[in-house]
Amino acid sequence: MKTPVSKGLNVAIVGATGAVGNEFLRLFEERGFPVADLRLLASERSAGKCLTFKGQEYCIQAATKDSFEGIDVAFFSAGASRSRELAQAAIDEGALVVDNSSAFRMDPDVPLVVPEINLDHVKPHHRLIAVPNCTAIILLMAVAPLRQIGHIDRLIVSTYQSASGGGAGMMRLLEEETRAAINGTDRPESKLHTPYAFNLFSHNTPVEDSGYNEEELKVIAETRKILGMPGLRVNVTCIRVPVLRAHSESVTVEFDGPAPDEEAVRDVLSRAPGVQLIDDRESNRFPTPHDASGQGDVLVGRIRRDLSNPHALCMFIAGDQLLKGAALNAVQIAEAVLTGREALLPA
């Protein structure tokens, strides 16, 4: 766990052919992550395909419990069932496992980490670290810094979630449906109950007896765990929108007293690592998923008092689901843990 980051590492990616898996390769190169040997793992149907990293081709292997010999760090992004099946095998081989799935997020023995917020939750004995839900990460990058200027009592969140949250397959579906709608051809086959192109719909996860879907309940539970506020009141409505990449969220933050001054909020957010303030009222320029796509910062703007509640303020945020919402957060965790740093400022 104290391996210096300058040392070459044997790295495995489980789910290498997915949308997040592709981002890992790009981030390794961009951030100079010290890869000595790279093992790309995926399903049996992907075995034999090759991907290029730093000009060298690496062939994909089928992921099994025997895939992790000699691996120092294993990044998992192949879904909860594969993580439950294979993560322990990687740990048994001595690897640090950084898991992007929901498999272990609410396990009390597994830290659920956004490095800019709660890296201190990781202890020397931890060999498995969970990456939170993408929506929760993007939300908390903007919300957590506000604890410096007031005690947060409640969050009301409405999300505008892109196709990237459903993986490469949903991104392709949105592209194909959009093309079909423009050309007047038949809509491609889909598991969705409603058209995706030029439409929006309640997040496509099962709805519980409470009326909340799984995505909404994940955001509520994970927000409380990350912030260490088990009693925090959170209300979330998650909606899928026809945006290819990057999630957006409308957020109302209620405090236990009068809401902080807008300028104090802007000052705190402008200094928060991994946050970019875009709040230009004169030009009507605020965060958009277009601007958030392809870069690691969470964009924050539309900062204003809630005219209906003197204890609340409102803001609008956008962040790349594949980067800070997934791959980038995972890589930052590994960088921080392997260097033993107590704090992490994004490169």
Side-chain angles (χ1 to χ4, degrees), residues 11-26:
V11 177
I13 301 173
V14 182
T17 57
V20 176
N22 287 329
E23 293 300 327
F24 278 126
L25 296 180
R26 183 167 70 86

Side-chain angles (χ1 to χ4, degrees), residues 121-174:
H121 288 191
V122 180
K123 305 303 179 186
H125 68 276
H126 286 130
R127 306 298 300 175
L128 170 62
I129 302 172
V131 174
N133 174 279
C134 53
T135 306
I137 293 175
I138 293 166
L139 170 67
L140 294 180
M141 286 292 292
V143 167
L146 301 182
R147 295 180 297 172
Q148 301 174 39
I149 52 176
H151 185 274
I152 296 170
D153 184 58
R154 185 186 185 206
L155 299 174
I156 303 171
V157 185
S158 296
T159 74
Y160 311 80
Q161 294 181 230
S162 64
S164 61
M170 185 165 284
M171 295 172 76
R172 284 193 300 271
L173 174 65
L174 177 56

Side-chain angles (χ1 to χ4, degrees), residues 25 28-35 38 51-58:
L25 296 180
F28 291 163
E29 189 158 2
E30 285 184 359
R31 298 175 69 86
F33 195 80
V35 178
L38 183 62
L51 297 174
T52 301
F53 174 64
K54 288 189 174 181
Q56 181 177 342
E57 279 200 343
Y58 291 83

Side-chain angles (χ1 to χ4, degrees), residues 74-93:
F75 295 96
F76 276 68
S77 191
S81 60
R82 294 296 271 166
S83 292
R84 294 189 190 100
E85 177 188 355
L86 299 175
Q88 188 59 52
I91 295 168
D92 291 343
E93 289 289 345

Side-chain angles (χ1 to χ4, degrees), residues 5-290:
V5 79
S6 58
K7 175 187 176 182
L9 300 171
N10 297 329
V11 177
I13 301 173
V14 182
T17 57
V20 176
N22 287 329
E23 293 300 327
F24 278 126
L25 296 180
R26 183 167 70 86
L27 287 169
F28 291 163
E29 189 158 2
E30 285 184 359
R31 298 175 69 86
F33 195 80
V35 178
D37 186 51
L38 183 62
R39 199 168 301 170
L40 303 181
L41 305 171
S43 64
E44 289 187 3
R45 67 177 179 274
S46 295
K49 298 178 182 177
C50 294
L51 297 174
T52 301
F53 174 64
K54 288 189 174 181
Q56 181 177 342
E57 279 200 343
Y58 291 83
C59 289
I60 295 165
Q61 305 172 33
T64 71
K65 292 181 179 180
D66 298 321
S67 297
F68 302 100
E69 182 178 356
I71 292 296
D72 299 304
V73 187
F75 295 96
F76 276 68
S77 191
S81 60
R82 294 296 271 166
S83 292
R84 294 189 190 100
E85 177 188 355
L86 299 175
Q88 188 59 52
I91 295 168
D92 291 343
E93 289 289 345
L96 169 70
V97 171
V98 185
D99 181 39
N100 266 292
S101 82
S102 63
F104 308 106
R105 288 174 183 161
M106 298 312 298
D107 186 325
D109 296 323
V110 177
L112 182 66
V113 175
V114 182
E116 294 89 343
I117 299 172
N118 66 334
L119 189 61
D120 60 326
H121 288 191
V122 180
K123 305 303 179 186
H125 68 276
H126 286 130
R127 306 298 300 175
L128 170 62
I129 302 172
V131 174
N133 174 279
C134 53
T135 306
I137 293 175
I138 293 166
L139 170 67
L140 294 180
M141 286 292 292
V143 167
L146 301 182
R147 295 180 297 172
Q148 301 174 39
I149 52 176
H151 185 274
I152 296 170
D153 184 58
R154 185 186 185 206
L155 299 174
I156 303 171
V157 185
S158 296
T159 74
Y160 311 80
Q161 294 181 230
S162 64
S164 61
M170 185 165 284
M171 295 172 76
R172 284 193 300 271
L173 174 65
L174 177 56
E175 291 177 324
E176 291 168 1
E177 279 203 19
T178 302
R179 192 175 299 113
I182 291 172
N183 294 333
T185 57
D186 291 340
R187 175 188 170 210
E189 288 188 11
S190 166
K191 294 181 180 179
L192 298 178
H193 69 280
T194 186
Y196 194 175
F198 304 105
N199 194 19
L200 54 83
F201 51 91
S202 183
H203 193 279
N204 52 305
T205 48
V207 179
E208 306 291 327
D209 291 341
S210 64
Y212 287 79
N213 62 44
E214 284 185 359
E215 182 81 354
E216 293 159 350
L217 294 174
K218 285 178 184 178
V219 174
I220 293 169
E222 294 178 28
T223 291
R224 291 168 173 168
K225 181 175 179 178
I226 294 163
L227 295 180
M229 300 175 67
L232 180 64
R233 297 188 297 158
V234 186
N235 185 34
V236 184
T237 302
C238 292
I239 301 296
R240 187 79 75 184
V241 297
V243 170
L244 195 63
R245 178 168 175 155
H247 292 351
S248 302
E249 305 178 28
S250 174
V251 184
T252 298
V253 185
E254 294 184 0
F255 296 85
D256 65 359
D261 180 83
E262 290 177 13
E263 286 308 312
V265 172
R266 292 188 183 93
D267 178 63
V268 165
L269 292 174
S270 68
R271 292 183 286 105
V275 173
Q276 185 181 152
L277 191 63
I278 301 180
D279 197 42
D280 186 347
R281 293 179 180 177
E282 184 175 345
S283 300
N284 199 19
R285 182 168 181 262
F286 303 107
T288 68
H290 179 274

